[in-house]
Amino acid sequence: MNRSLILASVTSLALAGCMEGVSDRELVGGAAGAAGGALLASAFDADSGWTVVSALAGAAAGTLVARNTARNQCAYSNGDGTYRTVPC
């Protein structure tokens, strides 16, 4: 088993204790995003390091999409490096 995969697993388990205010929707969004990222990496025949990176990026994106959907708030770029938050 690759060291980066083990490190990512241990880190995610350690951070799970910090997720007190996280809703079930965000957990499902993060899990779905992680699975999607891992599947895409597998489809492109990426090595295990890139698979971990894509799964983590997918988890982050899935969590943010779930959070924005639950709050009905989306962030849009102003084009100058700043963002505005408005209802979706």
Side-chain angles (χ1 to χ4, degrees):
M1 191 175 246
N2 193 339
R3 286 184 178 186
S4 58
L5 184 59
I6 293 170
L7 179 63
S9 298
V10 170
T11 302
S12 65
L13 288 174
L15 291 176
C18 302
M19 297 175 53
E20 186 175 312
V22 177
S23 72
D24 290 341
R25 174 180 262 177
E26 292 172 9
L27 290 174
V28 171
L39 285 173
L40 280 173
S42 176
F44 286 106
D45 199 29
D47 66 6
S48 59
W50 282 109
T51 301
V52 170
V53 169
S54 64
L56 291 174
T63 302
L64 289 176
V65 168
R67 184 178 297 158
N68 289 346
T69 303
R71 295 179 182 169
N72 195 27
Q73 293 289 314
C74 292
Y76 296 97
S77 175
N78 292 326
D80 60 358
T82 61
Y83 293 88
R84 67 185 188 283
T85 304
V86 297
C88 296

